[in-house]
Every structure is written in structure tokens, then in C-alpha cells.
Amino acid sequence: MNERLLHTPEGVRDIYHAECGKKSILEHRLHHRLRLYGFRDIETPAFEFFEIFSKERGTVPSREMYKFFDRDGNTLVLRPDMTPPIARCMAKYYRSEELPIRFCYVGDTFVNSISYQGKLKEVTQLGAELINDATVEADAEMVALTVECLLDAGLSKFQVEIGQADFFRGLMEEAGIGTKEAEELRVLIENKNMFGVEERISGKQLPDGLKNVILRLPELFGTLDRLLYVKNEITNRRALGALERLEQLYALLMEYGLEQYITFDLGMLSKFDYYTGIIFRAYTFGTGDAVATGGRYDSLVGQFGKDAPAIGMAVIVNQLMLALERQGLLPEPGPENILIVYRAPYRSEAIALARKLRAQGEKAELFLEAGGKTDYTAYAGRMGLKGMLYLGKDGPAEIISAADCSALAGLLENLP
């Protein structure tokens, strides 16, 4: 047999047994929180037409997509981002709806990143999208939802950093900097490369205040009151409006009582060009990458034919699990299944017992005995079973092993 067939491609991995159970528990907690906020489930295909994620949408670069062709010659891609497909659905199914629409999802995204970065190329995202609501109240609700999801996951030490995409665009407008150069500056600022920013800006004839703000963008993070001095350094209405929106947002987050989890970063920019307002990322100990992201994208749905403001958030489940594990906070699934081992003459009794257990909400496995009954004790331990019963003689089932023998005995006594 070719041993290579036992391995997964670079950037993807198997998740099984206890780890898969932990992931399921975590997703259930997070999904419950989204539902409490009134979001309804939506599922979109794992692959879409390439045009859904084209450069004009401002999403993942083409070189980072997994592309293939259908029989008609259409270029298809595995979805690298959850937001454009949901925007497509909103324009298709809710074109005439003007009041807020709330959808939540859980699904995998696929990004063909460079292998040496050591990042997963398939990750699970769980998130929510709020369409048809342009208010700062919607911004605050989505940030609050993000905080509460992380609290539900078990985290207590984390920060949600909030930026404003329009602030940077306003500065570029005021400075007369074109799209290509602005993108180069964005990369430098996102990487906190102050020397690179200075090299790009130093030779430009700009007002001192504006030049100072652009040069300091990589370090403009912290509490909001520490950053608002820049209002006196700029004149662009777009940038000033972005700062005023952040002030309104913070006031609302204080009403939620969540200010301890909030910081601001005016140098936070995103590789996704469709963001038009606030953008945010959540960080915690145990991983250098964000465990949750989000932002406002008021123009994206319009590219599919419905003019609608929107804001979304997403928890990166794989990163969150990594952080929880390293902090010793990953939820542990308790023993669940009851294994019923039976000898062939007692098959009918075993099936009847399994049906009774399942009717009471218990998870029951059936196993025809292949050897001595003691052969299965170690197996029960390896599989993390709740208990093991043996049917090989007249009378009630014999309890061979259990995490709590008295509880299992009581359960058997109470079966109808």
C-alpha cells in the first residue's frame, strides 16, 4: 500500500475523536449565542463561480484561490471567504426587503496560502451577517456579539481591536495619493513598518498635520481618548466622520458594559477592500492570529444588484480552539456512549435494550462478542465510553465498566 495515501495534503488536517468532540461543543456554544441574537441559519455552496470572488469584489487575490472547471468550461473556486456568497444570496432572495435581515452560518473556507507560512488552508468559520442596517447601533451589536461569543467559549482575557477603513481612505483622499500607492502604504501600515511609511511619505508636499498622522498610523492604537487628538490634524470630512463614528460606537459599547474588552487601532487595515466602515479583530493569548474578525461592507451587496448596507462578524474556530487549548480552557466532552457487548444467543435482548436506552436519550452501541468479555474493557477506556454492559447469560445486563456504576445501574432499573 502507498503510505502517501494515509497523509493529508499540506495545509489541511484530520480532526477526529476527542478533538472533534471538543470542536462540536465549541461550535454549539457559539451558534447558540448567534441564535439568541435572532440570527437564522443559512448555508451556501462550498464552491461558486469565480466571478463571485473576483478582484472587483475586493476579496482574496486570485492566486490564493483553489480554481477548477465544470463540464461547461466555467471557472469555479472553493469559497475563500464567506461574505460574498451571503451577499449574493441577499441580492437574489431578498432584493425587495428593506428592513434588517439576520443570517448566521458555520462553514469551511479554503485559501491557497504559501505552504511555508504554516497556516491551515481549510479553516472553519462561524459567523453572522446583518443586512439592511446602516446604523452605529448595528456596529455596536456585532462587536458585542463577538465579545459574548468569546466569553461563551471560555475566554476571559482577550481584546477586540477596532479600526475604521474610511479613516485611511479619507487620509489618502486628502493627501492626493492614488489607489496603487495607497495599497502599498496599506501593506506597510498593516505590518507596522514605520520606516517604510516614512520613506513613502517624507518627500511629499503635505500639510504638517496630515503628514504626521499618516507617519504615525502604525502606532495609533490604544484607548480612544488617546487617539482623538488627530481630529485637530486633518480636514478631510470622510476621515473626520470615521472618527466621529468610532466615538458613537464606543459610547454604545459602554452601554453594553463591554469597554474592558475594547481597544482601537487607526492603523488597522484589511486585505479585503470591500470594508467601508468599522473593522475589528479579536486577539488572545496562545495564538498570534485573530480568533475573530468582522467589519462593515456597505457596497458589497450592491455589486450583486441590491443596494444594502451590511456588517458581519466571524469566529475563526480553528484559531479559537488553539488559543483555548494553550490556555487550558478547551471544553472537554464527557463520556457519552454505552457499549452493549452481547453473545449471539442474546441478540434480540441486546437490540431491545439498546432501543430502550436510545428512547431515554442515551447513546448506545451494539457489539457482537468476538472473544472474552474482558477484551473490551481496554477498548471502552480508549474510546472514552460512558459504560459497558455485557449480555451473555440469563438475567439483567452485567455492568463491566462505567465512569459511574451506580448511575448506570440506576438507569437500567428505571428503563421501561
Side-chain angles (χ1 to χ4, degrees), residues 338-341 349-350 352-358 360 362-364 386-391 395-402 404-416:
I338 297 173
L339 175 63
I340 302 172
V341 181
E349 290 84 349
L353 178 58
R355 293 185 67 187
K356 289 179 179 179
L357 287 169
R358 292 165 186 157
Q360 298 294 314
E362 297 290 337
K363 303 176 180 68
K386 185 175 183 178
M388 184 174 70
L389 306 175
Y390 180 69
L391 281 174
E398 181 183 355
I399 299 174
I400 301 301
S401 66
D404 186 341
C405 288
S406 61
L408 190 53
L411 172 66
L412 293 174
E413 290 176 1
N414 294 324
L415 285 177

Side-chain angles (χ1 to χ4, degrees), residues 250-263:
Y250 188 59
L252 281 168
L253 290 173
M254 291 179 68
E255 291 188 31
Y256 277 94
L258 300 176
E259 61 269 22
Q260 62 179 309
Y261 302 107
I262 305 300
T263 56

Side-chain angles (χ1 to χ4, degrees), residues 109-353:
T109 59
F110 308 85
V111 177
N112 192 14
S113 55
I114 301 173
S115 296
Y116 68 73
Q117 291 178 338
K119 294 183 177 181
L120 288 175
K121 298 181 180 182
E122 178 186 13
V123 299
T124 301
Q125 292 188 12
L126 185 148
E129 310 291 339
L130 176 52
I131 319 294
N132 280 346
D133 194 334
T135 66
V136 69
E137 285 78 9
D139 295 352
E141 181 174 330
M142 296 304 277
V143 175
L145 176 59
T146 303
V147 171
E148 292 184 16
C149 278
L150 297 181
L151 291 171
D152 287 344
L155 290 179
S156 59
K157 297 179 180 179
F158 62 90
Q159 287 289 300
V160 178
E161 298 183 358
I162 302 175
Q164 239 288 359
D166 261 357
F167 180 71
F168 176 73
R169 292 193 178 101
L171 294 182
M172 296 300 99
E173 285 179 359
E174 188 173 346
I177 295 175
T179 303
K180 182 178 179 181
E181 190 175 3
E183 173 59 19
E184 294 170 350
L185 272 172
R186 183 196 68 78
V187 174
L188 292 171
I189 293 167
E190 184 71 6
N191 293 329
K192 304 298 183 185
N193 187 343
M194 298 180 66
F195 297 105
V197 175
E198 183 175 3
E199 183 179 357
R200 294 277 182 177
I201 294 298
S202 59
K204 295 185 178 296
Q205 299 299 315
L206 301 174
D208 291 340
L210 175 61
K211 179 181 288 189
N212 181 58
V213 171
I214 296 175
L215 289 173
R216 295 198 63 187
L217 271 176
E219 60 180 16
L220 287 178
F221 56 88
T223 59
L224 188 59
D225 58 353
R226 178 177 173 269
L227 306 177
L228 288 179
Y229 77 90
V230 300
K231 292 171 68 174
N232 300 320
E233 307 288 333
I234 57 178
T235 60
N236 181 269
R237 288 186 177 182
R238 189 175 188 178
L240 289 171
L243 292 176
E244 292 171 2
R245 181 85 169 202
L246 289 180
E247 289 183 87
Q248 296 167 5
L249 172 63
Y250 188 59
L252 281 168
L253 290 173
M254 291 179 68
E255 291 188 31
Y256 277 94
L258 300 176
E259 61 269 22
Q260 62 179 309
Y261 302 107
I262 305 300
T263 56
F264 292 86
D265 185 353
L266 296 182
M268 178 189 293
L269 304 171
S270 174
K271 65 180 180 180
F272 295 151
D273 287 341
Y274 56 66
Y275 284 130
T276 58
I278 72 159
I279 50 179
F280 55 89
R281 299 177 193 143
Y283 294 93
T284 187
F285 303 106
T287 174
D289 292 323
V291 295
T293 64
R296 176 164 287 282
Y297 52 98
D298 285 346
S299 302
L300 181 61
V301 183
Q303 295 183 35
F304 297 99
K306 174 182 172 62
D307 187 16
I311 184 169
M313 58 78 64
V315 176
I316 316 302
V317 176
N318 306 74
Q319 287 299 326
L320 180 56
M321 285 186 67
L322 179 63
L324 289 168
E325 181 179 30
R326 291 177 174 175
Q327 294 182 36
L329 299 172
L330 197 59
E332 291 287 343
E336 293 183 310
N337 293 13
I338 297 173
L339 175 63
I340 302 172
V341 181
Y342 64 95
R343 293 176 62 189
Y346 298 93
R347 180 179 59 198
S348 295
E349 290 84 349
I351 291 173
L353 178 58

